[in-house]
Amino acid sequence: MDWFTGLSIVAIVAGVTISLVVLAAFGSMRHSLNQTVARQSQQIGRLSDTMAALSAQHQAAQTRIQQLTDANRKLSDEMTALGERLNDSDSARRPAGTARLLH
């Protein structure tokens, strides 16, 4: 075996070794990237679920606020009507001069 053949064999082995190292590095990077993407997809799914739950809670709160607003308006109307009845009864005196009592 002459020196040229030995040098060729060393060059081929070095090339194969470098190729294997590069392929292993790219494989490792790809695997790491795939794991990162999978984790991010899971996080996005959890965030979507949380957003849906918060949206439902917000809608329920809006509905309850509307119910309370309606009940408040109704109570206010009843208080106004009661005040008017009270004023009417105070102004209408009985024949003996005493105000009628509300029952």
Side-chain angles (χ1 to χ4, degrees), residues 85-86 88-95 98-103:
R85 284 179 47 203
L86 185 59
D88 289 345
S89 80
D90 284 345
S91 64
R93 301 275 178 191
R94 290 184 175 224
T98 59
R100 289 186 288 174
L101 296 176
L102 293 175
H103 293 285

Side-chain angles (χ1 to χ4, degrees), residues 4 24 30 34 51 55 57 59 68 75 92-93:
F4 184 73
R30 184 174 178 191
N34 286 343
M51 288 298 298
S55 179
Q57 289 175 358
Q59 183 62 37
L68 291 172
L75 183 60
R93 301 275 178 191

